[in-house]
């Protein structure tokens, strides 16, 4: 990543921008899905963006900011 501020949490403004960018990305770039591995190499986080909810998951668990 270009921004090396990984040792501090996002500010409220940064979190708002993150959500806005994510929303724009899903509208203009996401075709079916995207799988990412992010975070530190020794404790990664696996992220899936998809146009379909996970099977057998109640839709009420999905938060819409």
């Amino acid at each position: 990543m270009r921004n090396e501020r990984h040792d501090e949490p996002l500010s409220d403004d940064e979190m708002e921008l993150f959500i806005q960018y994510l929303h724009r990305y899903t509208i203009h770039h996401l075709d079916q899905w995207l799988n990412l591995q992010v975070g530190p190499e020794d404790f990664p986080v696996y992220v899936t963006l998809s146009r379909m909810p996970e099977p057998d998951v109640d839709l009420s668990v999905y938060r819409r900011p």
Side-chain angles (χ1 to χ4, degrees), residues 8 10 16 18 23-24 27 38 44 47 51 56 60-62:
E8 60 186 77
L10 295 178
E16 179 63 29
F18 171 74
H23 186 76
R24 280 176 45 199
I27 291 171
V38 297
V47 178
R51 295 232 173 249
D56 301 320
S60 68
V61 303
Y62 290 96

Side-chain angles (χ1 to χ4, degrees), residues 26-38:
T26 62
I27 291 171
H28 299 288
H29 299 284
L30 186 66
D31 182 24
Q32 294 180 2
W33 70 87
L34 172 69
N35 294 323
L36 298 171
Q37 178 182 333
V38 297

Side-chain angles (χ1 to χ4, degrees), residues 52-58 62:
M52 298 297 295
E54 288 293 315
D56 301 320
V57 174
D58 184 345
Y62 290 96

